[in-house]
Amino acid sequence: LFPYTTLFRSVRALLDGARRGLARCGVAADRVDVAWVPGAYEIPVMVREMARSGRYDALVALGAVIRGETAHFEYVAGPCADGVARVQLDTGVPVGFGVLTTEDVAQATARSGPGAGNKGDEAAVGALETLLVLRAIREAVDRDPFAPCSVHLSESVEEMEFIKTGGGAWRTLLEDLGV
């Protein structure tokens, strides 16, 4: 039971980080759904079904795969990453990838801790930034399919806050998100 307890703690800490990142970006807690799966191998099918449902503008995949003494790591980590990437490409729904692939428990704990560097936080903010960029591009193409389009979001939450209060298309995009 030790490995499962440790993995669960790491994944729970990633979820806490994702919630903090989403809250920092202004996403209300009641706009966040959580779906649990038995393991990382099952993440892509759940992400695909959620993306296809039309209920979600962005998703965040969280999990942990710790290398052991068998080939299990290779059979799980790669297909999980590939499957999640395929969901994004097939559906156009951005998916923040916060599935840890580590050599040991210490690395998983370090990447899921409460401070800076929590990969759940980074994946959640990355999914939102990708969503905003995709929406801006799609909006620009809808206005004029032949006009050049340039979109950039900073990695800084402070600059995202500036964009939120700056009006224009960004305000519309964030209001659509409920931010």
Side-chain angles (χ1 to χ4, degrees):
L1 268 165
F2 173 74
Y4 298 108
T5 303
T6 301
L7 281 176
F8 181 76
R9 283 188 193 134
S10 292
V11 174
R12 179 60 104 178
L14 290 169
L15 177 58
D16 292 343
R19 286 180 168 154
R20 281 191 304 274
L22 293 170
R24 207 172 53 253
C25 292
V27 177
D30 65 350
R31 305 226 352 144
V32 177
D33 292 337
V34 177
W36 292 92
V37 294
Y41 193 77
E42 292 80 20
I43 289 172
V45 70
M46 182 61 70
V47 169
R48 184 188 70 198
E49 289 308 303
M50 293 176 84
R52 284 181 173 176
S53 75
R55 290 190 58 201
Y56 304 99
D57 296 314
L59 298 166
V60 182
L62 304 171
V65 183
I66 299 174
R67 187 181 300 276
E69 296 178 7
T70 68
H72 179 76
F73 180 88
E74 285 78 16
Y75 292 121
V76 173
C80 176
D82 293 344
V84 170
R86 195 172 93 214
V87 168
Q88 288 189 107
L89 296 173
D90 290 350
T91 66
V93 175
V95 182
F97 191 73
V99 179
L100 303 178
T101 53
T102 65
E103 296 297 320
D104 53 43
V105 172
Q107 287 179 353
T109 302
R111 289 172 175 83
S112 62
N118 179 294
K119 299 306 177 188
D121 182 318
E122 292 175 12
V125 172
L128 287 179
E129 289 181 341
T130 302
L131 173 63
L132 293 177
V133 171
L134 285 171
R135 283 191 171 175
I137 291 168
R138 291 169 182 158
E139 182 180 285
V141 168
D142 286 346
R143 275 194 316 271
D144 184 351
F146 302 105
C149 179
S150 175
V151 179
H152 172 74
L153 281 181
S154 169
E155 293 181 27
S156 158
V157 174
E158 291 78 21
E159 288 193 36
M160 285 183 71
E161 190 66 32
F162 172 77
I163 291 168
K164 281 172 52 177
T165 59
W170 292 113
R171 176 176 296 282
T172 302
L173 294 174
L174 289 161
E175 286 171 353
D176 287 349
L177 281 174
V179 176

